[in-house]
Amino acid sequence: MKAATTLQEIQPANDKLNKKPASGGRFWKTFKNQKYLYMMSLPFIIWVFVFSYLPLWGWTMAFQQYKPAKGFFEQKWVGFEHFKTLFADDQFILALRNTLAMSGMGLVAGFVFPITFAILLNEVRLNFFKRFAQTISYLPHFVSWVVAAGIVTKMLSGENGLVNDLLMGVGFIDSPIQFMAQGHLFWGIVTFSDVWKETGWNAIIYLAAIAGIGPELYEAARVDGASRLRQVWHITIPGIRPTITVLLIMSIGNLLNIGFEKQFLLGNNLVTDYSQVLDLYSLKYGLGMARYSYGTAINIFNSVISVILLFTINGIFKRTTKESLL
């Protein structure tokens, strides 16, 4: 009887000790202990809210016949009329084709070249050459696209252009090729211009991921007689796979948001059918023609497709590789 009484007294005490605090209590306890970290992040939260979430109010323009001189409640509501006009426009379909083509080419090249460059650079044992190659590869990233487009245009020029001079010097061609005047070459020119400019910079994150791989794995592989190629294939690439997955998901989510600087600066009237992308289309037919509602509809289309792509590719990777971003 005494033992039973003792157990009855002990059990409530144990339940009280094992009882987890409420979620609200845990939050405020964490907030109190880490209040300075929360205060440091507050300006960035405000910045994101002001520049990323607050402008979503402007999406209402896509469903109005927006006139800047009128107030919000004085605007004429037209529903999905601008979206119907958008999908019926041949220029929009052309811009969408160009955007998807250049985005797809840039996605493939933007992963293959930086990853390959990072792996090759990691295999270099001469530290001086390694640092020199890194420095040289980073430099184009800090050059504005205005200057970079000028360099590319000059190199591909039909008059004393470096590429034409080299091709004629080795006998591949008899007369200069007008690279910048041929539309079917424009997508490749934009893609390789981007590769030249950003490969070194994009390789930094892969080099950091490779640096996080334990050296004991390579030592064990060498003891087992694995060649350097085998070490790369079985250790380096699997070691950076989570980094590749996260960046790939983010890149596919932004497939339509490729900007317009490269296309605007490298393009001309002769290659318009290949250089016009969605952002240029929005700029030309939206802001350029004072069709603000129409331009907003284009941007909403970009955002919605980006969100759908992000969640779709994240779900695919989550099921196949058990890795996800969200």
Side-chain angles (χ1 to χ4, degrees):
M1 187 72 175
K2 185 176 181 180
T5 304
T6 305
L7 288 174
Q8 290 177 357
E9 293 175 352
I10 293 174
Q11 189 64 35
N14 289 338
D15 293 341
K16 187 175 181 180
L17 290 173
N18 294 330
K19 186 179 180 181
K20 295 182 179 179
S23 58
R26 289 200 302 269
F27 170 77
W28 288 112
K29 184 177 180 180
T30 304
F31 179 81
K32 183 178 179 181
N33 294 333
Q34 302 180 3
K35 55 181 178 294
Y36 296 110
L37 292 177
Y38 280 99
M39 291 173 63
M40 288 173 62
S41 64
L42 185 61
F44 300 100
I45 295 174
I46 296 174
W47 184 89
V48 170
F49 175 77
V50 170
F51 291 100
S52 297
Y53 289 96
L54 196 59
L56 292 178
W57 174 258
W59 278 15
T60 56
M61 293 168 54
F63 307 97
Q64 303 170 339
Q65 193 63 45
Y66 181 76
K67 302 294 182 184
K70 296 182 179 181
F72 178 78
F73 296 102
E74 298 175 347
Q75 303 292 340
K76 179 182 178 182
W77 294 86
V78 295
F80 291 93
E81 189 65 31
H82 295 298
F83 292 95
K84 295 178 182 178
T85 305
L86 181 67
F87 295 123
D89 189 358
D90 292 337
Q91 289 297 318
F92 169 75
I93 303 301
L94 187 67
L96 181 61
R97 181 204 68 175
N98 296 336
T99 302
L100 290 174
M102 281 183 272
S103 295
M105 294 172 65
L107 182 67
V108 174
F111 272 86
V112 172
F113 284 92
I115 293 172
T116 304
F117 179 72
I119 292 174
L120 292 176
L121 205 59
N122 183 66
E123 293 299 314
V124 174
R125 295 294 177 257
L126 191 60
N127 288 330
F128 172 78
F129 178 78
K130 186 175 182 178
R131 289 194 297 268
F132 177 77
Q134 282 182 289
T135 303
I136 295 299
S137 65
Y138 297 162
L139 290 179
H141 171 78
F142 299 99
V143 177
S144 70
W145 265 112
V146 176
V147 178
I151 295 173
V152 172
T153 303
K154 182 61 179 176
M155 291 181 65
L156 298 177
S157 174
E159 299 180 0
N160 299 322
L162 177 62
V163 175
N164 275 306
D165 288 346
L166 288 174
L167 292 177
M168 288 190 294
V170 297
F172 283 173
I173 58 175
D174 297 325
S175 59
I177 299 175
Q178 300 297 329
F179 289 99
M180 307 304 296
Q182 301 190 40
H184 65 280
L185 299 177
F186 185 79
W187 296 347
I189 292 172
V190 169
T191 301
F192 282 99
S193 298
D194 199 29
V195 167
W196 161 70
K197 191 174 185 296
E198 302 296 340
T199 292
W201 183 259
N202 292 338
I204 293 176
I205 191 168
Y206 299 114
L207 287 169
I210 292 173
I213 300 175
E216 63 275 4
L217 296 176
Y218 293 101
E219 293 175 3
R222 284 193 293 269
V223 170
D224 291 340
S227 63
R228 295 179 70 174
L229 184 60
R230 286 289 183 181
Q231 293 175 40
V232 168
W233 183 255
H234 293 287
I235 299 176
T236 305
I237 294 179
I240 64 175
R241 189 179 66 183
T243 303
I244 296 174
T245 301
V246 171
L247 293 179
L248 182 60
I249 293 172
M250 294 175 65
S251 297
I252 293 177
N254 289 298
L255 199 62
L256 297 182
N257 299 320
I258 63 172
F260 65 90
E261 296 89 351
K262 296 168 284 188
Q263 293 77 13
F264 180 76
L265 294 169
L266 292 172
N268 54 66
N269 292 332
L270 298 175
V271 296
T272 302
D273 289 344
Y274 292 86
S275 65
Q276 183 164 262
V277 291
L278 287 176
D279 286 338
L280 271 177
Y281 178 80
S282 174
L283 185 65
K284 181 178 179 180
Y285 292 94
L287 292 177
M289 302 177 69
R291 299 170 65 188
Y292 304 112
S293 297
Y294 191 67
T296 305
I298 300 170
N299 292 326
I300 289 178
F301 172 81
N302 282 359
S303 299
V304 170
I305 296 300
S306 297
V307 171
I308 293 173
L309 287 173
L310 178 63
F311 280 95
T312 301
I313 196 65
N314 184 78
I316 292 173
F317 273 98
K318 191 173 184 179
R319 290 184 179 183
T320 56
T321 65
K322 308 302 180 183
E323 296 173 359
S324 65
L325 181 63
L326 304 176

